[in-house]
Structure formats: C-alpha cells, structure tokens
Amino acid sequence: MLSFLSNTLKTFRHGIHPGDYKDLTRNLSIERLPFSEELTIPLSQHLGAPSKCIVKVGDEVKRGQIIAKPSGFVSIGQHAPMSGTVKSIEMRHHPNGKMVESVIIKKDLFSPQTFYNEHAMDWENLSADELISLIQHGGFVGLGGAAFPTHVKLKTPEGKNARFLIVNGVECEPYLTSDHRVMLEQSEDIFLGIRILLKILGAEKFYIGIENNKQDAIDFLGENIPEDMNGEVVALQTKYPQGAEKMLIEAVLKREVPSGKLPIDVEVVVQNSGTIAGIGMMFRFGQPLIERVVTITGPGIENPANLLVPIGTPLTDVLEHCGGLKENTRQVLFGGPMMGAPQSDLDVPILKGTSGILCLTDEEVTIKEEFPCIRCLRCVDACPVYLNPSRLGALAKTREYEGMLDFHIMDCVECGSCSYVCPSNIPLVQRFRVSKALLREQQAKQKKAG
C-alpha cells in the first residue's frame, strides 16, 4: 500500500497538541495583492550578512531586477518586486524591532504584474554549483519563517552525503495555511523544484511530509507524483512542533540528529514546500524571490485570506486589503501563535520569511499570573529535544546562564511547548531566548578576545 494511503501515521516523540484553528483560511485560494505605492526592501531579511546594495537614489528599476548582491557565502540577492524608481536608501524599521538599511521603491503607475524578463532556464544542462549560485542570487531563503539562505543547505560539505530530501509540508503552527494552499495550487512548481534539488544534492529519494489535518494535500500530491520520480508523500500525525527539521526527520525516517549536529550528518536535507515551489517557478519563468504567499488570519481581522504579497509591502496595506483590524484587536504577530513575533509598528514591511500575519483580540491575549514551579514535569514530557525546561527555567531566573550550558540550553529550538503546558504560567521559552542570546554574545566576545 502506498504510504500516503496508510492508516499508520508517523510522528516524533514528545510534543504537544494545540488546536489548529486553520478553518478560517484552509479553503481560501491564493489571491494576488495589488502593488502598494511604495515598497521597503530591507537589505537584511535573512540569516547571515546583509546584501550589498547596487542601485542608487533616482535609478529606475524593473520588476525582478536585482538591486542588491550577496555580500558573502551566507548572504543572498535582493530584487525589485515591482517596477518603479528608487526613492531613497535609508534606515527603516524592521519586523525584528531594529533599524535596518532598506531600499525604498516608489511605484511606476504603469508597472505591470507580469515579470519583465520571463524565460525558462535550461537547468538540466547546468552543474550543481551553477544551480546553487542561481538560487543564491535569486534571493531564496527558507519560507517557513527561519529565513536561512537556501543555497547554504544545498552545498553538501566535503565528506558528507545527502541521500534523502525531505519536503517540509507540515505547517504545524496553528492558524497558518500558506504552505497548505501552495501544495494544492502549485504542484507543478513543487515537483520541478524537487527535481532540481535532487540533482544538486545527488539524493536518491524524496519524501513530502504533511500532517493529516491537510488530507486534501496528502491525497493530491500523493496521486500526482510523476512516474519517473522516486519519492512518496508521508502522512504524519498532527502534532507540534513537527515542522522543526529534527522532529520532521525523526517522524519521516526515524533518524535522530545528535546534539550539535545538522541534518546532513544523518544524510538528510530538509526544505520548506513553499521554498521549493519558488525555486521551481524561478527555473520555469526566470522569476527570483520577489513575492510570497502569506496567510492573514485570526479573530482580529475582518476578512481572513491567503494572499500573494510582493516582498516589502507595508503591513498596513495588507491589513487594509483584508478589511482592517477589528476594534478589539490587541496584538498582531508575524508568524503563528507559538513562535510568532508581536509587532509594535504596523508600517513594517512583509519579508521573505513572513509566512503569516495573525491578529488576536482581547479574548486570546490575556496576561496570566505566574506561580512557582510545582515540578509536575509536564514541560519535560512536552520538550521535543529531551531537555529539562523546569531546571533550565530555574537557572534562567537566577541568571546562572553558564550553568544552563551543562543542561544543553543551546539545543533548545524555542518552540514554546514547555510554556504552553506549564500550569504555573512560567514564561519558560521567553527566558530561554534571552538566555541563549546572552550566551551567544558572551561567546562572541570570548572568541574575539582570543
């Protein structure tokens, strides 16, 4: 029996089962958002070095034209999502709360939605290194939210072997449905993207991991895998945080990525389904990453939607297109409720890593009183990487950060499962994020000092 028809659902150990709340948008097809008057393109919207700007104020740019080059290996290209004029290059608010150098493009009133230099690329006659370079200069990052440059994960280190490619179609964050819609509406791009990545990696087989709260995507992709491709769809039990790489690998292949190691150390590369669809589109049409699908959802938005949004569009324009916020909206997040980042400025731009915009009302955003830890160990049972959040939380509270290293704090994936199950309302994951940031800063200073 084909795996996607199997009654046995695979998953990983531990984790939690929050409600998925995806009904608001799961059946809404992707709509294209019109261009805004201005777009803000931050030169740093990925992990790694910022891109290097190659345009100047007053330049006219075309939709899809490169405006910033990679400044190193862990860096990517940036492109104009619409035709227009470079209005300014200045520091602007970034969704991470910092000020970041950004290119501001003012719309050409006659800018078409079509791509100006549409052409297919002869990927079959390109080498793996040439394909990797095109993906880097095409500006691709993980669209699941981490925004790690895609090409870096495709460059297999010497002595390593990538036998398997796993397509991450899990989308385990509650409310979000952008990957779900991409899998239903862009299967041709996904399968082309998989072919290209298999060639780059030299991998022998691919798997598409999808949770069973997206049964239509499981059925559709499973029934449409091209006959000449060696791959399968794996139906997974719905559980959080199954979209994390290490959890997904355990669920699909029953392989454990050791502490401090990467997926390639167990012969696996994982890529998000939306990222792979984008790569497929680039090689079909020559279009770099200039737009992405975003889920706008939650009780606080008038008209939830799945929109194809030009990168750099102001958050306010997206919200207005969806009918605006309701009066009792308390909080707007980039991402889902578990790992999303609250926004204090509604003028920030949509980034490549913006998978969703979640609007919550007074009812969902309640401040709970914190109580002492009762050592119930629910957090230990929930932690997907087998840490002891209770002990780590106690060390964080007393600022014993170096002691947290002995309890493997750097293995924490910051999924928030511990905070979710804590009956004492202790903000464990928030404390771990702060602790890890301080430890990284301390380690960087020590390294610099020699």
Side-chain angles (χ1 to χ4, degrees):
M1 178 181 284
L2 297 175
S3 69
F4 72 94
L5 295 176
S6 171
N7 290 325
T8 304
L9 293 172
K10 296 183 176 182
T11 190
F12 64 103
R13 292 166 289 178
H14 289 200
I16 58 176
H17 293 270
D20 71 14
Y21 304 104
K22 294 178 186 285
D23 286 343
L24 284 170
T25 55
R26 74 166 82 235
N27 295 318
L28 300 180
S29 299
I30 300 167
E31 302 173 46
R32 182 178 288 277
L33 182 73
F35 291 133
S36 294
E37 290 301 311
E38 286 185 4
L39 300 183
T40 298
I41 317 299
L43 297 179
S44 181
Q45 48 180 316
H46 54 276
L47 296 180
S51 310
K52 184 178 180 181
C53 184
I54 59 171
V55 294
K56 61 182 185 300
V57 175
D59 283 355
E60 292 187 1
V61 294
K62 300 293 186 184
R63 176 169 157 80
Q65 177 184 328
I66 191 164
I67 59 174
K69 292 182 176 179
S71 61
F73 179 61
V74 188
S75 184
I76 58 169
Q78 309 281 356
H79 305 76
M82 68 178 181
S83 298
T85 304
V86 177
K87 177 184 175 184
S88 63
I89 301 170
E90 60 187 54
M91 303 299 282
R92 285 284 182 99
H93 284 288
H94 190 281
N96 66 10
K98 299 179 180 177
M99 298 293 283
V100 171
E101 186 178 22
S102 307
V103 178
I104 318 302
I105 299 175
K106 185 175 178 56
K107 182 176 72 174
D108 176 349
L109 293 178
F110 302 103
S111 175
Q113 289 278 12
T114 54
F115 182 57
Y116 87 104
N117 186 26
E118 183 174 322
H119 65 284
M121 297 183 185
D122 184 14
W123 64 271
E124 291 179 283
N125 289 312
L126 296 174
S127 69
D129 284 343
E130 289 172 325
L131 292 168
I132 289 173
S133 178
L134 285 171
I135 290 170
Q136 179 183 16
H137 286 79
F140 283 89
V141 300
L143 299 188
F148 188 78
T150 302
H151 68 281
V152 177
K153 291 169 67 175
L154 298 177
K155 188 71 174 177
T156 307
E158 193 172 340
K160 305 291 183 182
N161 181 34
R163 288 183 61 197
F164 306 111
L165 168 68
I166 296 182
V167 180
N168 189 346
V170 171
E171 200 165 48
C172 60
E173 271 273 7
Y175 286 102
L176 305 186
T177 58
S178 56
D179 286 348
H180 185 179
R181 295 311 309 181
V182 167
M183 289 189 287
L184 290 175
E185 299 181 39
Q186 298 183 25
S187 61
E188 185 177 355
D189 297 319
I190 288 176
F191 287 123
L192 176 56
I194 291 173
R195 287 183 189 276
I196 293 165
L197 297 197
L198 289 176
K199 174 176 180 177
I200 292 172
L201 297 169
E204 62 188 60
K205 185 173 182 179
F206 72 89
Y207 299 88
I208 306 177
I210 307 175
E211 292 188 338
N212 67 333
N213 60 356
K214 295 176 271 293
Q215 190 61 47
D216 50 357
I218 293 171
D219 295 339
F220 178 68
L221 291 181
E223 292 164 359
N224 286 282
I225 294 177
E227 291 184 359
D228 64 326
M229 296 182 75
N230 184 23
E232 61 181 279
V233 174
V234 180
L236 302 171
Q237 179 183 337
T238 299
K239 194 200 286 188
Y240 180 86
Q242 199 150 226
E245 283 189 338
K246 293 184 177 181
M247 278 69 263
L248 181 57
I249 292 169
E250 181 185 338
V252 173
L253 293 174
K254 294 301 175 191
R255 294 189 177 196
E256 182 177 334
V257 181
S259 174
K261 299 293 184 180
L262 298 171
I264 193 63
D265 292 304
V266 294
E267 302 179 306
V268 181
V269 170
V270 179
Q271 292 285 352
N272 170 265
S273 54
T275 308
I276 291 177
I279 290 171
M281 277 196 66
M282 182 174 78
F283 285 91
R284 283 179 69 197
F285 305 115
Q287 177 175 312
L289 185 56
I290 56 176
E291 56 192 7
R292 67 154 299 151
V293 179
V294 181
T295 300
I296 299 88
T297 186
I301 189 74
E302 289 289 347
N303 303 310
N306 286 302
L307 298 179
L308 184 60
V309 181
I311 303 300
T313 300
L315 172 56
T316 47
D317 288 4
V318 178
L319 297 175
E320 284 179 16
H321 182 84
C322 294
L325 298 172
K326 295 180 181 176
E327 284 188 7
N328 60 341
T329 300
R330 172 72 69 86
Q331 194 173 67
V332 177
L333 294 93
F334 270 18
M338 301 302 294
M339 297 186 74
Q343 298 300 308
S344 58
D345 181 354
L346 299 186
D347 286 324
V348 294
I350 302 300
L351 305 180
K352 295 180 178 183
T354 309
S355 55
I357 298 168
L358 177 59
C359 308
L360 300 174
T361 64
D362 293 332
E363 191 172 336
E364 294 82 37
V365 183
T366 55
I367 298 175
K368 298 178 180 178
E369 183 180 357
E370 179 183 335
F371 298 97
C373 175
I374 58 173
R375 293 180 174 78
C376 65
L377 299 185
R378 292 183 189 177
C379 56
V380 176
D381 289 337
C383 180
V385 288
Y386 301 99
L387 301 181
N388 185 338
S390 174
R391 178 63 176 151
L392 287 166
L395 290 170
K397 191 172 184 179
T398 54
R399 301 184 180 183
E400 296 177 70
Y401 302 123
E402 290 196 3
M404 297 175 75
L405 292 171
D406 296 332
F407 289 85
H408 305 285
I409 180 60
M410 303 312 283
D411 284 338
C412 172
V413 296
E414 302 177 21
C415 65
S417 296
C418 51
S419 298
Y420 181 83
V421 299
C422 180
S424 295
N425 303 320
I426 301 173
L428 292 165
V429 71
Q430 288 84 353
R431 289 178 182 169
F432 298 160
R433 286 172 184 159
V434 172
S435 302
K436 288 173 69 178
L438 290 170
L439 284 166
R440 287 196 191 97
E441 186 178 340
Q442 188 179 57
Q443 290 169 348
K445 286 180 180 176
Q446 291 172 349
K447 186 177 179 180
K448 192 175 180 180

